[in-house]
Amino acid sequence: MSDWYRDFANSGFGTTITKQLGLPRPAQLRRYEPGQPLLPGPAVVGSAGEGRLRDEVTGLLRDAGVTVVSPVAADGSTDGERLAAVLLDATGLTGPADLAAAHDFLAPALKRLRPSGRVLVLADPPTGTSSPAQAAARQALEGLVRSLAKELRSGSTANLVHVPLGAEGSLASPLRFFLSGRSAYVDGQVLAVTAAELPSAADAEQPLAGKVAVVTGAARGIGAAIARVLARDGAHVVAVDVPAAGEQLAQVANEVGGTAVALDITGDDAGPRLAAQLVARHGGVDVVVHNAGITRDKLLVNMDAARWNSVMAVNLQAQLDLTQALLATDGALKPDARVVCVSSQSGIAGNRGQTNYAASKAGVIGMVRSWAPEFAERGATINAVAPGFIVTEMTAKMPLGTREVGSRLNSLQQGGLPVDVAETIAWLAQPGSAGVNGQVVRVCGQSLLGA
């Protein structure tokens, strides 16, 4: 869907007007397209403290065809074109004094960052440190990155990845994600990786080739976008939705060459039925995306039991029941499966009139974190994606003022697209993302609401 204000603000006349009035000018974001390079220009890699990742990161970039240039000089000059990415290896910080090196590297480099550039900081987690000073320095990076993300303009993003000692092998997948157009609407976020057994390198264009993926709520909106992106990446998609959406569901399944399953996921036998069908027809499932969700908004004091219970049943209980059924059915969930649960920004920050919805989506996050150790023992992962304001047919029906406020209250000054959520889910579904487990990734353009 078109963003009329963004398109106007980037037109010749609109640029002049927005500059004169001091209005925001949202950028056209760099989004992923098959076949495009990881970055549209060179990258620079620097370090603060005795970093241990700089050489490895440089090697990963060069293997991906990225030109790595020398760190910029203090005046912001480089030996060539503007930078597409700035990467800081901040592992090895010993105390707050080491943070000066982060400033000294980042400040001049950012002057050369091109539109839709990427800033990525790699660091040790702030837990398990040898001293309070070291913990302070590591935690300080979170404040630095979240604030920097709010300072960047022209569609650029900044994110932080915690890489504990021993988890270096898990870095390649998040590195590619955060630098690519797949992460266009992921900004100001913190992700942690862990050591994991990684499969052999997959096809970069079709990392899900040969995989079977189940997507609930697949008939429309974000669910349909997820089905399309997973299919594009090589998966056979089993598209699930309620029988009432059967016609739209069949259209989506036919479009992606997948299978349509009309099923009320809140039914008492929905989990066992779906698990049995996946075993019988597909030999089990590799990827499960719990996307189905509903809203029944009302102030808590005016909310009836039906509104509360229906939202909990679809948004939370069904995810619990379906996952448990897949775990309990022999051969249903592959040992190295990827489960991705759709939460929401509302589940993190809350939202007026959505106590039921926010509670259900917060519950999804608790479920993911609790199940993560069990999934790790199987060689599998379970993660959550928390969308912010995503432009869909539903949001298009909102009053203009409400819609505009919702879409602009983030660092990228625009609403996200369903494909932004789908790209993040597809990345978490990749075999190479084995080191990302129990995480919550917000796809919200760094919303100004919540952490």
Side-chain angles (χ1 to χ4, degrees):
M1 297 181 181
S2 177
D3 184 331
W4 70 271
Y5 177 77
R6 182 198 61 202
D7 295 343
F8 168 75
N10 285 281
S11 67
F13 177 69
T15 298
T16 301
I17 293 298
T18 53
K19 283 184 177 179
Q20 290 178 345
L21 298 179
L23 297 174
R25 187 153 64 96
Q28 295 281 355
L29 303 182
R30 173 171 66 92
R31 289 186 166 92
Y32 175 77
E33 294 180 5
Q36 71 179 190
L38 178 63
L39 288 170
V44 64
V45 183
S47 59
E50 296 295 326
R52 66 177 190 278
L53 298 174
R54 183 171 178 176
D55 291 343
E56 182 171 353
V57 168
T58 300
L60 289 170
L61 292 174
R62 288 175 173 160
D63 289 344
V66 176
T67 299
V68 181
V69 300
S70 301
V72 295
D75 62 358
S77 64
T78 69
D79 54 5
E81 60 185 303
R82 296 180 70 183
L83 299 169
V86 176
L87 297 96
L88 173 65
D89 175 10
T91 57
L93 294 179
T94 59
D98 292 335
L99 294 168
H103 164 268
D104 294 344
F105 167 72
L106 289 172
L110 294 174
K111 295 177 182 178
R112 304 295 298 178
L113 191 65
R114 64 188 292 166
S116 284
R118 299 287 187 263
V119 179
L120 187 62
V121 177
L122 310 172
D124 291 299
T127 56
T129 60
S130 60
S131 70
Q134 188 174 54
R138 293 179 180 181
Q139 188 66 45
L141 291 172
E142 184 169 330
L144 184 155
V145 169
R146 292 191 189 277
S147 297
L148 175 58
K150 294 179 179 179
E151 295 179 3
L152 297 176
R153 290 293 179 262
S154 302
S156 295
T157 63
N159 292 285
L160 170 64
V161 178
H162 286 143
V163 187
L165 188 65
E168 294 81 2
S170 297
L171 177 59
S173 179
L175 180 75
R176 288 192 295 267
F177 172 72
F178 282 114
L179 296 184
S180 75
R182 288 179 179 269
S183 63
Y185 204 59
V186 180
D187 193 16
Q189 301 305 299
V190 181
L191 179 85
V193 298
T194 58
E197 184 175 344
L198 299 175
S200 56
D203 183 340
E205 292 297 313
Q206 290 208 314
L208 299 178
K211 304 294 185 182
V212 175
V214 171
V215 182
T216 66
R220 62 183 66 83
I222 292 174
I226 295 167
R228 294 185 186 106
V229 171
L230 293 178
R232 180 204 68 194
D233 285 357
H236 177 87
V237 176
V238 179
V240 179
D241 215 314
V242 293
E247 184 176 348
Q248 289 177 291
L249 182 66
Q251 290 175 354
V252 171
N254 290 336
E255 177 188 343
V256 303
T259 304
V261 174
L263 177 70
D264 179 356
I265 60 172
T266 65
D268 292 339
D269 62 344
R273 282 177 56 195
L274 181 60
Q277 183 170 335
L278 291 170
V279 173
R281 296 189 182 182
H282 305 284
V285 64
D286 302 279
V287 178
V288 179
V289 182
H290 291 298
N291 166 73
I294 62 172
T295 58
R296 297 290 185 270
D297 297 352
K298 208 76 169 176
L299 294 177
L300 181 62
V301 295
N302 299 323
M303 185 177 298
D304 56 68
R307 281 187 170 88
W308 182 274
N309 293 335
S310 61
V311 168
M312 287 295 170
V314 175
N315 296 4
L316 181 56
Q317 192 63 51
Q319 292 197 26
L320 282 160
D321 292 345
L322 290 180
T323 304
Q324 188 60 61
L326 291 170
L327 288 168
T329 304
D330 289 342
L333 196 65
K334 299 289 184 66
D336 57 352
R338 304 283 181 264
V339 176
V340 186
C341 307
V342 177
S343 177
S344 171
Q345 171 188 309
S346 294
I348 298 171
N351 200 17
R352 186 177 187 272
Q354 287 195 320
T355 51
N356 52 355
Y357 183 78
S360 69
K361 292 301 187 177
V364 168
I365 294 173
M367 175 189 75
V368 163
R369 289 173 174 165
S370 177
W371 245 326
E374 180 179 340
F375 272 71
E377 292 176 0
R378 299 168 56 96
T381 66
I382 182 168
N383 294 284
V385 168
F389 190 94
I390 304 298
V391 179
T392 63
E393 292 181 4
M394 181 179 69
T395 60
K397 297 176 182 177
M398 291 179 174
L400 177 63
T402 303
R403 187 170 69 248
E404 285 301 304
V405 169
S407 63
R408 307 302 167 198
L409 285 179
N410 58 76
S411 295
L412 297 176
Q413 301 174 328
Q414 59 192 286
L417 300 180
V419 71
D420 296 323
V421 181
E423 293 286 11
T424 305
I425 289 172
W427 162 61
L428 291 169
Q430 293 180 9
S433 298
V436 183
N437 188 30
Q439 299 296 295
V440 181
V441 182
R442 290 183 64 175
V443 186
C444 63
Q446 197 187 25
S447 173
L448 304 185
L449 303 176

